């Protein structure tokens, strides 16, 4: 019997890349490749890269240095290693990287993972330096085999499902429209089928992914274009599904059905990541965000009316070209007004080929750093306050794995906070109530009474999905 071959994938960047790495594993599984957590015993090593901010390519080059040593070591032991670079760095800098790093055997962009078996076969036949970065017309999702039951179970009770890819918004700082291409939505039936299969294998929580997920407009079984809201109502009925989330959204695409879903669907978790980037209308305009702060305030108000306990998250960029002290003060004011449960914040990083990289004036590095620390102090304070409000509450937690200490499990609250509690291992994969007794800035902990907290099936979805009103 032939020995199983091992595949190691190191994933950088967003959740979309996590999903893509799993799809690469699925597509290589019929060729006899099994995932390994250790790079030393890998017959194929793939770096699944991110290009969103600076130093992305540098990180990949330095990791390739490490990979080269492993490859040499293995070669000394008579073993071959195929080295691949996937993801957005491959898409954006493929040719240059192949020239600079001869250790790389193949580079594959995010839209071409279904071509991996073909590329691997060519390499096994002696070819080198392959680059596959087209945006092919064929649907990569259709070409990749579904994960089998054992793979799904091994990946745990939470799973990602990509429903939309690419972006047509062209914010002036962002590489996504160039690396991931134009917006594309998968058909409703495919998404329902994938979700049904995952839930049949024990997945409880599904996070729908898309660079612009709420711009989703996939074709429905009725031939109509379905919005994300309508899709969520349909998915809430999938047997075994307990929790739904989606990320990442754009304020302009928060339509009424999606907002209503937050009020109607107990499965839709009270957490929303809705990036605003800046609190200054002048900066939002030069970022080409296509919305004002007033639009954002209004959207948030309507969401909070629908789901008062919603935990709100966002992304911020400080030091965008032309950002004055007053512009930054407006961002700080917006943050004070919103009260986030947590948020991500970054210094503006000029990306070659994007319009903002050539805008003047660029902001000095030390100013960016000062603004970032000021913003992060406020955001951490808000995160701490949000967590503090959970003290003494009974919170349903989906246990996802073992905690750091013996006897301890870790899971997620509806608000996406990590929660630790002493509980038996058989609780992994189930939702249990936890009485919160301790809070920190990054996580909660408490006592698990063992009273199951599975959510009640909601009675109203079917009527809404079938209704013509949507
Ligand atoms: N510089 C800094 N942050 C950026 N982001 C995207 N592009 C850049 C850039 N050039 C941030 C945005 C986005 C998140 C995924 O990354 O805040 O929402
Ligand atoms: Fe990038 Fe803007 Fe599209 Fe988000 S909406 S992926 S920030 S271009």
């Amino acid at each position: 019997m032939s020995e199983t071959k091992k595949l190691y994938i190191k994933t950088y960047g967003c959740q979309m890349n996590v999903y893509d790495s799993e799809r690469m594993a699925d597509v290589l599984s019929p060729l006899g490749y099994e995932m390994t957590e250790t790079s030393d015993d890998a017959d194929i090593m793939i770096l699944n890269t991110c290009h969103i901010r600076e130093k992305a390519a540098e990180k990949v080059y330095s990791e390739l240095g490490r990979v080269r040593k492993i490859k040499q070591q293995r070669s000394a032991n008579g073993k071959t290693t195929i080295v691949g670079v996937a993801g957005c760095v491959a898409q954006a800098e493929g040719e240059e990287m192949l020239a600079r790093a001869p250790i790389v055997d193949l580079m594959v962009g995010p839209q071409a993972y279904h071509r991996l078996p073909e590329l691997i076969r060519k390499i096994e036949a002696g070819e080198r330096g392959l680059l596959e970065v087209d945006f092919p017309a064929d649907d990569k999702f259709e070409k990749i085999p579904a994960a089998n039951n054992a793979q799904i179970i091994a990946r745990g009770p939470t799973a990602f499902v990509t429903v939309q890819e690419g972006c047509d918004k062209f914010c002036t700082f962002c590489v996504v429209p160039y690396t991931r291409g134009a917006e594309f939505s998968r058909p409703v039936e495919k998404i329902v089928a994938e979700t049904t299969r995952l839930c049949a294998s024990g997945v409880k929580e599904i996070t729908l992914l898309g660079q612009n997920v709420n711009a989703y407009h996939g074709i429905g079984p009725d031939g109509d274009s379905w919005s994300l809201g309508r899709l969520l109502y349909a998915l809430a009925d999938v047997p075994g599904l307990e929790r739904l989330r989606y990320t990442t959204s754009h304020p302009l695409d928060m339509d009424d059905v999606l907002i209503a879903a937050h009020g109607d669907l107990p499965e839709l978790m009270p957490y929303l990541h809705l990036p605003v980037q800046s609190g200054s209308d002048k900066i939002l305009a030069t970022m080409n965000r296509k919305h004002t702060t007033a639009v954002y305030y209004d959207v948030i108000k309507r969401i909070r009316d629908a789901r008062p306990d919603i935990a709100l998250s966002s992304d911020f960029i400080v030091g965008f070209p032309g950002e004055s002290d007053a512009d930054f003060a407006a961002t700080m004011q917006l943050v004070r007004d919103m009260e986030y449960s947590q948020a991500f914040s970054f210094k503006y990083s000029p990306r070659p080929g994007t319009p903002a990289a050539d805008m003047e004036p660029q902001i000095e590095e030390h100013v960016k750093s000062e603004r970032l620390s000021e913003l992060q102090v406020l955001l951490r304070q808000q995160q701490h306050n949000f967590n503090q409000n959970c003290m003494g509450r009974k919170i349903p937690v989906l246990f996802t794995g073992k905690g750091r200490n013996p006897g301890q499990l870790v899971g997620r609250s509806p608000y996406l906070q990590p929660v630790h509690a002493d509980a038996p291992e058989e609780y992994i994969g189930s939702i249990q109530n936890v009485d919160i007794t301790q809070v920190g800035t990054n996580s909660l902990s408490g006592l698990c009474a063992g009273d199951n907290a599975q959510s009640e099936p909601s009675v109203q979805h079917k009527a809404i999905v079938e209704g013509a009103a949507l």
Side-chain angles (χ1 to χ4, degrees):
M1 212 178 86
S2 69
E3 214 182 310
T4 12
K5 294 175 282 183
K6 300 277 188 200
L7 165 69
Y8 172 81
I9 306 181
K10 178 159 182 170
T11 307
Y12 299 82
C14 65
Q15 290 155 323
M16 205 86 151
N17 269 9
V18 175
Y19 178 85
D20 283 346
S21 292
E22 289 177 355
R23 296 292 74 71
M24 287 191 258
D26 294 343
V27 84
L28 291 175
S29 158
L31 272 67
Y33 286 97
E34 244 176 37
M35 282 294 274
T36 172
E37 298 294 315
T38 43
S39 49
D40 305 14
D41 62 357
D43 301 287
I44 302 185
M45 292 177 69
I46 297 179
L47 307 182
N48 190 9
T49 61
C50 168
H51 201 241
I52 196 94
R53 281 174 296 276
E54 222 163 6
K55 302 204 177 80
E58 286 73 38
K59 264 193 232 160
V60 178
Y61 282 115
S62 84
E63 183 65 15
L64 283 173
R66 217 176 59 83
V67 168
R68 187 168 29 140
K69 288 198 190 111
I70 297 172
K71 186 166 174 162
Q72 282 164 349
Q73 184 88 51
R74 283 174 53 85
S75 168
N77 296 329
K79 293 179 181 162
T80 54
T81 316
I82 298 174
V83 176
V85 176
C88 293
V89 173
Q91 189 69 39
E93 301 188 24
E95 259 169 67
E96 195 188 323
M97 190 166 273
L98 274 182
R100 261 184 70 183
I103 187 204
V104 177
D105 299 307
L106 73 96
M107 309 215 48
V108 57
Q111 305 309 322
Y113 295 146
H114 54 295
R115 305 242 169 113
L116 267 173
E118 200 180 312
L119 296 171
I120 300 287
R121 274 191 212 102
K122 284 186 183 171
I123 288 173
E124 284 171 347
E127 289 188 48
R128 286 288 174 273
L130 306 180
L131 180 66
E132 186 67 68
V133 290
D134 286 352
F135 289 110
D138 43 350
D139 177 355
K140 71 170 179 185
F141 295 103
E142 287 309 291
K143 306 271 166 160
I144 296 178
N148 63 37
N149 201 35
Q151 281 168 320
I152 297 172
I153 291 168
R155 288 170 188 166
T158 63
F160 295 128
V161 174
T162 292
V163 302
Q164 179 278 337
E165 272 202 278
C167 181
D168 295 342
K169 295 269 192 304
F170 288 93
C171 298
T172 53
F173 52 81
C174 185
V175 288
V176 165
Y178 311 97
T179 56
R180 291 271 176 171
E183 251 181 37
F184 163 79
S185 297
R186 295 176 70 194
V188 170
E189 280 171 304
K190 304 284 180 195
I191 296 163
V192 172
E194 187 170 334
T195 304
T196 305
R197 210 176 42 243
L198 288 166
C199 294
S201 298
V203 168
K204 296 280 165 53
E205 176 177 303
I206 297 281
T207 302
L208 306 183
L209 297 181
Q211 261 96 24
N212 220 314
V213 73
N214 60 343
Y216 176 83
H217 56 273
I219 205 83
D222 52 4
D224 285 355
S225 167
W226 283 37
S227 65
L228 182 70
R230 193 169 176 188
L231 177 68
L232 288 167
Y233 279 100
L235 290 176
D237 280 334
V238 167
L241 181 136
E242 296 284 337
R243 292 181 163 192
L244 270 172
R245 305 179 185 275
Y246 60 92
T247 197
T248 285
S249 297
H250 191 285
L252 269 192
D253 296 314
M254 291 303 302
D255 65 18
D256 291 343
V257 177
L258 183 51
I259 292 176
H262 277 283
D264 289 342
L265 299 178
E267 293 84 357
L268 186 54
M269 289 294 97
Y271 175 90
L272 176 66
H273 181 64
L274 190 64
V276 62
Q277 314 294 357
S278 168
S280 152
D281 284 332
K282 180 190 97 193
I283 295 297
L284 289 177
T286 49
M287 284 178 165
N288 191 33
R289 289 288 293 173
K290 304 184 175 83
H291 66 81
T292 57
T293 48
V295 166
Y296 184 78
Y297 275 81
D298 176 62
V299 165
I300 298 300
K301 181 183 177 308
R302 288 191 291 132
I303 292 163
R304 284 197 158 138
D305 287 347
R307 183 76 208 231
D309 69 331
I310 200 149
L312 192 62
S313 163
S314 182
D315 290 339
F316 294 93
I317 296 178
V318 299
F320 187 78
E323 186 187 69
S324 65
D325 285 342
D327 295 320
F328 176 64
T331 298
M332 292 293 285
Q333 187 55 48
L334 179 140
V335 172
R336 279 190 287 270
D337 293 341
M338 289 300 145
E339 295 189 39
Y340 291 99
S341 70
Q342 63 115 57
F344 304 92
S345 46
F346 315 99
K347 290 192 252 187
Y348 169 66
S349 152
R351 311 309 292 131
T354 58
D358 299 323
M359 286 180 186
E360 293 294 343
Q362 294 284 324
I363 304 302
E364 283 181 78
E365 191 55 32
H366 76 92
V367 176
K368 287 185 193 171
S369 300
E370 283 155 22
R371 288 180 184 165
L372 187 67
S373 344
E374 198 180 328
L375 175 60
Q376 288 186 340
V377 167
L378 178 58
L379 289 171
R380 281 183 74 75
Q381 182 62 51
Q382 292 195 345
Q383 184 173 353
H384 194 81
N385 292 346
F386 186 89
N387 289 349
Q388 195 64 46
N389 286 337
C390 295
M391 186 71 179
R393 282 178 60 190
K394 193 188 275 296
I395 289 188
V397 173
L398 171 57
F399 284 116
T400 50
K402 289 190 204 167
R404 229 172 286 144
N405 303 330
Q408 194 188 52
L409 298 185
V410 65
R412 292 279 179 175
S413 76
Y415 311 108
L416 210 60
Q417 300 137 303
V419 183
H420 300 270
D422 286 345
E425 254 180 59
E426 62 261 28
Y427 281 7
I428 295 174
S430 74
I431 299 174
Q432 305 286 337
N433 283 322
V434 174
D435 291 308
I436 303 302
T437 53
Q438 248 185 312
V439 302
T441 302
N442 299 316
S443 66
L444 313 176
S445 46
L447 303 170
C448 178
D451 48 341
N452 198 288
Q454 306 284 337
S455 52
E456 294 298 317
S458 111
V459 282
Q460 39 179 320
H461 319 150
K462 281 207 175 82
I464 295 171
V465 170
E466 284 158 13
L470 306 181

